[in-house]
Amino acid sequence: YTIQELESMAREVRRDVIDTIFTAGSGHPGGSLSELDILISLYFGAMRYDPNNPSWPDRDRLILSKGHASPGLYAVLARAGYFPREELSTFRRLNSRLQGHAHPMTPGVEMNSGSLGMGLSFALGCALAARLSGKDYMVYAVLGDGECDEGEVWEAAMAAAHYKVDSLTGLLDRNRIQNDRFTSEVMELEPLADKWRAFGWATLEIDGHAISRVLDALKEAQNTKGRPTVIIAHTVKGKGVSFMENNPSFHGKAPNEEQLAQALEEIG
């Protein structure tokens, strides 16, 4: 894929996310839109996988630690061929494979989510399992910045550096909003990059909506040996929809019909 093709795909997937959440009448548009360029870059520019064989032992693993942003992941998985795009309309329905939080019953999902802070530990376990079994797959963990308030994140960070797990890459969706407030109001995270460096991680900071930069950072992470890598991706919560951008109220709120029309028009 060219960068232009990936950017065009990202716009189409943003439309899918908005439609999915509107149809369900609930969901988390803000964090789903902020993570999308990261997920597009992973699935269509970096990761090794087979949608016809989701349990392929040699696949790269994607762990969505911020699992409430599942609409973004589901839209990308559908685009990657794990299930039909039409299935997105079943989001959050009873007996649907697409629940509000990511769950392994969904093709392509590796870890169930709910409480935040667990994804990096799970990803580390996957990476250590690869080492023990002689596999060379990469493991990617997409984290929210708000969940970096959790001590478990830093326990996993310390352990990953200690064991020199260079097959593990963390992607931090730094949109600066958690739940209904800005991260700086809840718990000041800065200097965030310095914290990760102090924990022994190779640390990159990028524009998380510039797909070319995301792809370059992922390639650098793959080539970094002897320690894990974290990519701090500076993003905008609600990216692409003016009234959702940097708006804490759209952490977990579906658009109404008027807002749906405006959002789809703005995304283009």
Side-chain angles (χ1 to χ4, degrees):
Y1 293 92
T2 66
I3 299 299
Q4 290 73 23
E5 287 171 333
L6 293 177
E7 290 172 344
S8 177
M9 185 188 301
R11 285 191 295 274
E12 294 172 5
V13 174
R14 279 188 164 81
R15 293 175 63 90
D16 288 346
V17 167
I18 296 298
D19 277 329
T20 295
I21 294 172
F22 171 77
T23 301
S26 65
H28 292 79
S32 293
L33 294 174
S34 67
E35 74 187 1
L36 262 182
D37 298 302
I38 297 168
L39 294 178
I40 290 286
S41 300
L42 281 165
Y43 278 92
F44 299 99
M47 285 177 59
R48 178 177 65 188
Y49 60 91
D50 180 0
N52 296 313
N53 183 14
S55 298
W56 178 39
D58 293 320
R59 71 191 182 281
D60 291 336
R61 272 72 165 167
L62 185 283
I63 312 302
L64 183 67
S65 188
K66 43 173 279 179
H68 54 281
S70 60
L73 177 60
Y74 295 156
V76 172
L77 289 176
R79 187 70 54 149
Y82 281 92
F83 49 83
R85 286 177 65 196
E86 292 74 21
E87 194 169 342
L88 294 172
S89 65
T90 71
F91 176 59
R92 288 199 171 202
R93 290 186 186 173
L94 289 175
N95 302 316
S96 169
R97 295 193 294 179
L98 309 182
Q99 288 302 304
H101 272 261
H103 191 287
M105 67 180 172
T106 307
V109 172
E110 302 284 350
M111 185 194 88
N112 62 301
S113 61
S115 179
L116 290 166
M118 300 186 296
L120 191 60
S121 295
F122 188 97
L124 172 58
C126 292
L128 289 172
R131 177 182 292 178
L132 289 169
S133 57
K135 300 289 187 181
D136 66 350
Y137 60 77
M138 296 290 292
V139 183
Y140 300 95
V142 176
L143 310 172
D145 48 5
E147 72 177 309
C148 289
D149 294 351
E150 299 272 5
E152 186 177 355
V153 171
W154 300 103
E155 292 177 63
M158 187 162 51
H162 175 78
Y163 291 107
K164 299 179 172 58
V165 186
D166 50 23
S167 61
L168 174 61
T169 299
L171 296 116
L172 183 51
D173 184 9
R174 183 70 168 117
N175 61 35
R176 298 180 183 273
I177 294 174
Q178 61 187 105
N179 205 333
D180 58 354
R181 286 182 289 171
F182 291 90
T183 56
S184 58
E185 297 176 60
V186 181
M187 186 85 74
E188 181 56 74
L189 293 169
E190 297 299 339
L192 188 55
D194 289 342
K195 289 184 172 81
W196 284 95
R197 292 188 184 101
F199 271 73
W201 287 55
T203 304
L204 307 173
E205 288 194 81
I206 62 169
D207 176 351
H209 298 303
I211 288 176
S212 61
R213 286 293 296 118
V214 180
L215 292 173
D216 287 345
L218 289 169
K219 186 172 294 185
E220 186 171 342
Q222 289 175 344
N223 293 330
T224 297
K225 303 304 176 185
R227 57 178 175 164
T229 298
V230 64
I231 300 168
I232 300 175
H234 293 278
T235 60
V236 175
K237 198 156 190 173
K239 176 67 174 180
V241 180
S242 61
F243 58 87
M244 292 184 182
E245 288 190 352
N246 286 315
N247 184 351
S249 69
F250 275 95
H251 171 77
K253 178 183 177 182
N256 59 35
E257 286 193 22
E258 181 180 343
Q259 291 170 330
L260 170 70
Q262 180 181 341
L264 294 178
E265 182 179 356
E266 289 182 2
I267 292 169

